[in-house]
Amino acid sequence: MMRQTVLLTLQDIPYFCYPESVGLYVDHPEHTVLREAGALNNFNIHYVAAGKGYVEVDGVVHELRAGQAVLYFPQQRQHYYSSEDDPWDVRWVHFYGERLHDYMIERGLHRNLLWTLRQQAPWEEAHMALLNEAEQNRMLHPAQLSTLTYAVLAEFVQHAVPLKSTRTSKAESRILALLPQMQQEACQPFLLQDWADMAGVSSYYFCKMFKSAVEMTPMEFITRSRLQMAKQWLLERPTANIGQIAEEAGYPNASYFNRQFLAHEGMTPTDYRGLYHS
């Protein structure tokens, strides 16, 4: 199966990023691409959803498997191809934008060609949304195309780590699977050992793997989740006492809650509520 939509390249676009083409190849063992340096003036991401394929970098062939990707900058030489015995399901997007180069450099994306995504589903869903929009409407909704392209890029920036430096371990996978539950139960007392037990690791290793997988400590994740819920409650319950909301969000000490809220939002809970309720 092959799905591919090619779009007209626009000049002086009023968007941060825009797709030139988007598509996927499934069960195409003959799929191979060789572009010499200077041939293509777009960024592009090729992501492996299943199967395997190969990317040649400076004469060395690297294998890519599910959850791994190659990111090319404009003008780079490109040589990649599917495995013949286990053809890849490869999802790809070519995109461009006037300020994209600086954005990508600032985030260090120029330092590596090969990447692995710690969480695959968000990127795959964002890519499929872009592909569906491009297939159904072509260029009828350019702002939507730009928004969906940025979603694909943002998910990549959030979840991609250099392939050569790390691989998602089974422990990291178990920790990532716990995130929805941790967010849902964030307002309850946080017992590190209980979460470590659910992941099947020691509390020390849980903290280490959590930091590697999520790029923040477990307590930072809990704090963000609590404050997110508190912000929602401040707007939904305009007459509720700040101390009551603090306690329900997991902060029996209202003063500490106020300090945490101020540190993250730049204003007190009362001032935040005042922005929306007179």
Side-chain angles (χ1 to χ4, degrees):
M1 177 179 67
M2 178 180 71
R3 296 172 62 183
Q4 174 176 295
T5 299
V6 179
L7 303 166
L8 182 68
T9 298
L10 304 180
Q11 303 298 320
D12 300 322
I13 59 170
Y15 310 113
F16 176 70
C17 58
Y18 202 78
E20 185 274 336
S21 56
V22 56
L24 59 82
Y25 288 90
V26 178
D27 196 24
H28 273 253
E30 69 279 7
H31 179 217
T32 180
V33 171
L34 173 59
R35 299 186 181 102
E36 296 299 340
L40 190 65
N41 196 32
N42 298 313
F43 292 90
N44 74 71
I45 297 171
H46 281 67
Y47 163 87
V48 182
K52 64 182 180 181
Y54 305 94
V55 176
E56 180 191 312
V57 183
D58 297 328
V60 179
V61 176
H62 302 263
E63 181 180 275
L64 289 187
R65 291 185 172 270
Q68 299 171 348
V70 55
L71 165 64
Y72 288 110
F73 271 56
Q75 312 295 330
Q76 278 189 299
R77 184 179 188 272
Q78 303 178 11
H79 189 195
Y80 53 88
Y81 50 94
S82 174
S83 164
E84 294 185 358
D85 62 311
D86 186 13
W88 61 11
D89 171 354
V90 64
R91 319 288 175 90
W92 51 268
V93 57
H94 292 222
F95 56 100
Y96 58 97
E98 184 178 345
R99 293 181 294 277
L100 261 181
H101 194 271
D102 290 343
Y103 173 86
M104 305 290 266
I105 294 291
E106 288 170 2
R107 281 147 187 81
L109 296 174
H110 61 297
R111 298 193 183 101
N112 296 279
L113 196 67
L114 307 178
W115 304 82
T116 185
L117 271 62
R118 290 171 300 200
Q119 295 188 54
Q120 292 88 47
W123 192 92
E124 293 181 12
E125 291 167 5
H127 177 269
M128 192 57 63
L130 173 60
L131 178 56
N132 289 337
E133 171 64 25
E135 287 179 334
Q136 294 168 15
N137 297 305
R138 298 286 174 167
M139 301 181 76
L140 289 179
H141 307 142
Q144 180 73 350
L145 284 174
S146 175
T147 299
L148 293 172
T149 303
Y150 181 74
V152 171
L153 177 58
E155 293 292 354
F156 187 88
V157 170
Q158 180 178 0
H159 298 298
V161 291
L163 178 62
K164 64 183 180 182
S165 67
T166 184
R167 293 178 183 272
T168 302
S169 68
K170 291 182 179 179
E172 285 180 295
S173 297
R174 290 195 294 270
I175 287 170
L176 291 171
L178 287 173
L179 292 182
Q181 184 181 351
M182 289 182 69
Q183 180 172 256
Q184 183 178 0
E185 300 178 10
C187 296
Q188 300 176 18
F190 177 68
L191 301 175
L192 175 60
Q193 189 59 57
D194 289 352
W195 293 103
D197 290 343
M198 279 189 269
V201 297
S202 68
S203 58
Y204 169 80
Y205 197 64
F206 180 87
C207 291
K208 182 179 180 180
M209 291 296 97
F210 196 99
K211 179 74 172 179
S212 173
V214 190
E215 295 189 332
M216 69 182 78
T217 68
M219 198 62 236
E220 286 172 337
F221 179 82
I222 293 297
T223 296
R224 292 187 184 188
S225 299
R226 287 175 173 176
L227 293 176
Q228 174 65 48
M229 283 187 263
K231 285 183 68 177
Q232 190 73 29
W233 294 337
L234 284 166
L235 301 186
E236 292 177 349
R237 298 154 56 189
T239 61
N241 182 276
I242 298 295
Q244 179 185 352
I245 287 180
E247 185 171 357
E248 292 179 14
Y251 295 99
N253 186 318
S255 295
Y256 183 65
F257 168 68
N258 284 342
R259 290 197 300 272
Q260 289 286 84
F261 196 97
L262 179 63
H264 280 264
E265 299 298 326
M267 65 185 76
T268 67
T270 300
D271 289 340
Y272 175 75
R273 175 185 272 171
L275 292 174
Y276 298 90
H277 299 287
S278 59

